[in-house]
DNA sequence: TAGATTGTTAATCGATTAACAATC
DNA sequence: TAGATTGTTAATCGATTAACAATC
């Protein structure tokens, strides 16, 4: 078995990808770990360690080829394939995700939108029709769905999670404010906005105290 | 100076707060670190270490009083005060935040919404009128604003950040997909949705490989 | 009192940084 | 070749876990 790469490292990879994308846009051809470290405000050592978890992408005396490294990180993050997403919960947050066109450039394509609200029947967002929840299982059977985004009230989240997991879904992007219970082999990525806001709040209070 | 508490610890506090809130709702009066550790799937040791960064909230032989601990963590996270928020960028994501009523229960109150789009002039979300960007400085001068949420395209983010920082804002909740440059003393909390999605994507690919 | 469980110190583990030989 | 910079090993730092004396 391959050595396990820590989530701390994985979490940093999208940021490298973003910075390399900007360099690429600016026509920069090569970059050293040291120069990148200055821009990103991390240590050069960390950059080299992180990248070498996945392979040697650089060249001694030269640094890293921006285009090549950008593409390699893209592959590591699975951006070289298409991921079909359905969004369950077509409220503002669900619609915000459905409207976020830039995801598609990275291969994340929203192919379905679901809601419980009958008033939404027949409506669509960016050409994607909003379906009712009783159509969920049929849709999952008829379409290749890789990721389910849960943008619904937490009261419904457990039930819906059970349904999609039963239907064979192995990846959930969870915006509901609770911890999902899923069987082994199902990946959950949480986005807990209120946790993020509380962390910000802590840091505000801390900062104020430091002023005094 | 007080000992610095790591962000790793801070990040876990909202989750404790959430679990304690649920226990409270369920009428549970006291809980031991061990029992909580089983529910939360962390070690009891970590719970005790985390809490003791802020003080001794428990009692030997008894455990923790749920109500008391819940309130104390609330205070640590600054939830015992009101935080006024303005949201800049009244697209779906901005509106989603403005509509998220539960934030208000924790003291986070949206008092303003701003957008560049003239078509939005006069519209309002949940009773909060959408203002145009040229009204920003006046609004900040006339109102106590604690947090600015940036839910706008990254092209505008740097400019707007400069403006609000100049106006004295010390906390930014950043949803724009770039790293903000802010002076010392300004706190930034990032929510990079596409980074989160990429992390999920990595874990999907990894899981698939492990199956083979 | 005896039992339970904290608060806290000590041990371990993992992640980050530093250093440098390998090499382009 | 000389200089630059990687890949990688070693050292350090910090975070997590274990252990246990203090104490309710």
């Amino acid at each position: 078995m391959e050595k396990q790469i820590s989530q701390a490292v994985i979490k940093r990879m999208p940021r490298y990808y973003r910075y390399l994308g900007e360099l690429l846009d600016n026509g920069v051809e090569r970059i050293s770990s040291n120069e990148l470290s200055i821009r990103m405000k991390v240590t050069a050592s960390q950059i080299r360690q992180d990248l070498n978890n996945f392979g040697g992408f650089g060249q001694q005396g030269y640094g890293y080829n921006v285009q090549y490294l950008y593409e390699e990180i893209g592959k590591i993050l699975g951006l070289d394939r298409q991921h079909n997403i359905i969004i369950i919960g077509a409220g503002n947050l669900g619609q915000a995700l459905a409207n976020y066109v830039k995801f598609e450039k990275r291969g994340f394509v929203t192919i379905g939108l679901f809601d419980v609200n009958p008033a939404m029947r027949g409506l669509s967002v960016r050409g994607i029709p909003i379906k009712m929840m009783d159509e969920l299982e049929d849709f999952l059977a008829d379409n290749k769905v890789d990721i389910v985004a849960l943008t619904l009230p937490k009261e419904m989240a457990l039930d819906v999670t059970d349904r999609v997991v039963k239907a064979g879904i192995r990846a959930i992007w969870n915006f509901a404010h609770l911890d999902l219970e899923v069987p082994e082999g199902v990946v959950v990525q949480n986005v807990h906005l209120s946790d993020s806001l509380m962390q910000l709040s802590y840091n505000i209070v801390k900062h104020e105290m430091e002023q005094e």
Side-chain angles (χ1 to χ4, degrees), chain A:
Chain A
M1 188 160 115
E2 300 282 310
K3 66 179 174 312
Q4 188 72 8
I5 295 163
S6 80
Q7 288 297 315
V9 173
I10 304 308
K11 235 184 148 73
R12 286 193 289 266
M13 298 307 287
R15 188 154 178 265
Y16 294 137
Y17 188 73
R18 177 151 48 90
Y19 272 80
L20 288 163
E22 279 168 22
L23 289 169
L24 203 55
D25 288 345
N26 295 335
V28 178
E29 263 180 35
R30 69 187 184 95
I31 192 151
S32 67
S33 58
N34 193 251
E35 206 186 320
L36 188 58
S37 79
I38 292 164
R39 290 176 189 253
M40 295 186 66
K41 291 172 184 156
V42 297
T43 62
S45 210
Q46 180 165 78
I47 293 174
R48 294 203 299 276
Q49 286 279 21
D50 282 352
L51 296 179
N52 277 89
N53 279 299
F54 303 98
F57 303 120
Q59 198 171 77
Q60 282 98 329
Y62 172 88
Y64 298 88
N65 179 286
V66 173
Q67 167 102 46
Y68 174 68
L69 185 56
Y70 178 76
E71 282 167 10
E72 288 302 311
I73 294 177
K75 284 182 206 163
I76 289 163
L77 291 171
L79 308 181
D80 55 341
R81 49 161 86 185
Q82 181 168 331
H83 298 268
N84 291 337
I85 302 183
I86 65 167
I87 298 167
I88 304 186
N92 285 112
L93 185 53
Q95 293 194 25
L97 298 184
N99 274 314
Y100 203 56
V101 186
K102 285 193 184 150
F103 290 156
E104 287 197 0
K105 283 208 313 192
R106 305 280 173 250
F108 300 98
V109 182
T110 301
I111 62 166
L113 260 170
F114 290 82
D115 206 285
V116 282
N117 186 353
M120 282 187 165
R121 195 189 293 274
L123 298 182
S124 65
V125 176
R126 218 159 56 83
I128 309 156
I130 298 177
K131 293 183 162 32
M132 294 295 104
M133 287 304 287
D134 55 9
E135 303 172 76
L136 180 61
E137 275 78 6
D138 280 352
F139 189 92
L140 292 174
D142 296 344
N143 297 274
K144 182 179 171 292
V145 175
D146 303 296
I147 298 170
V148 169
L150 294 181
T151 52
L152 38 67
K154 68 168 188 289
E155 291 69 27
M156 298 174 51
L158 290 180
D159 178 52
V160 171
T161 299
D162 279 354
R163 287 173 63 183
V164 299
V165 167
K166 273 211 188 74
I169 291 295
R170 327 250 27 72
I172 297 176
W173 198 20
N174 176 42
F175 289 76
H177 198 217
L178 84 173
D179 295 329
L180 302 178
E181 293 271 354
V182 294
E184 178 92 15
V186 177
V187 183
V188 176
Q189 176 81 26
N190 291 307
V191 179
H192 289 326
L193 294 182
S194 55
D195 287 16
S196 168
L197 192 48
M198 289 181 194
Q199 196 182 345
L200 176 56
S201 169
Y202 171 85
N203 285 312
I204 293 170
V205 175
K206 185 189 69 175
H207 252 81
E208 278 175 20
M209 290 190 312
E210 284 167 2
Q211 302 300 308
E212 282 156 20

